[in-house]
Amino acid sequence: MPAVRITCGMIPTMTASVIGTVVKPHEPSSNDVNQFGPFWAEFFAKASLYTASSARWFLLALTFLVMSTRLCIARNPPKIIAGLRTYKDQPPEQALAAFRHNGPAESPETPVRAFERISALLQAAGWKTKGRTQGR
């Protein structure tokens, strides 16, 4: 749920960024009247879009975003640390199959002999290898 709150908090921030790009802050109002017309220039002025970074609605949205981020940071470190401490030595085959660079291979060798040959190649390249039997 915190991710949804953060996203909702980011929408006004992104809106203010777009507004700050389109409606340049601290420009003479005559420039905006020429560019957008009198109606929109007056609307932008009433909505405090010329000073969006100090407008109350923007500061409120920014406060909401900061608080949501703080809550997320305060709640998740125990889960993150627990996940870092548990080393998953045996990923499921389904997870390995999801890798982009994978494919089936057939070999006339026995699995043990193929493992020994591939392990020797990897160890020569500086890798560590660890073997296990299927189904463990």
Side-chain angles (χ1 to χ4, degrees):
M1 206 64 177
V4 174
R5 284 186 240 140
I6 289 173
T7 304
C8 292
M10 288 178 69
I11 290 171
T13 307
M14 293 185 308
T15 305
S17 300
V18 171
I19 290 168
T21 305
V22 174
V23 180
K24 296 181 179 125
H26 309 297
E27 290 281 321
S29 60
S30 60
N31 289 357
D32 295 323
V33 172
N34 290 338
Q35 187 174 1
F36 302 111
F39 172 77
W40 288 110
E42 186 179 340
F43 175 79
F44 295 155
K46 285 185 180 178
S48 302
L49 297 184
Y50 296 116
T51 56
S53 58
S54 62
R56 286 185 180 161
W57 62 268
F58 179 73
L59 294 175
L60 182 66
L62 198 59
T63 302
F64 178 74
L65 178 63
V66 169
M67 294 306 291
S68 294
T69 305
R70 280 187 176 181
L71 285 173
C72 188
I73 290 171
R75 286 177 31 188
N76 290 326
K79 294 176 193 172
I80 294 170
I81 292 170
L84 291 174
R85 286 186 180 154
T86 59
Y87 178 72
K88 299 197 175 43
D89 187 29
Q90 300 175 14
E93 284 188 43
Q94 195 175 20
L96 295 174
F99 285 139
R100 190 171 55 167
H101 301 295
N102 102 14
E106 292 184 22
S107 174
E109 303 175 288
T110 64
V112 173
R113 178 68 191 121
F115 174 77
E116 290 171 354
R117 182 178 55 82
I118 294 169
S119 292
L121 288 171
L122 290 171
Q123 288 172 355
W127 292 87
K128 291 182 183 178
T129 60
K130 187 175 180 182
R132 68 178 171 91
T133 58
Q134 186 74 19
R136 192 181 92 177

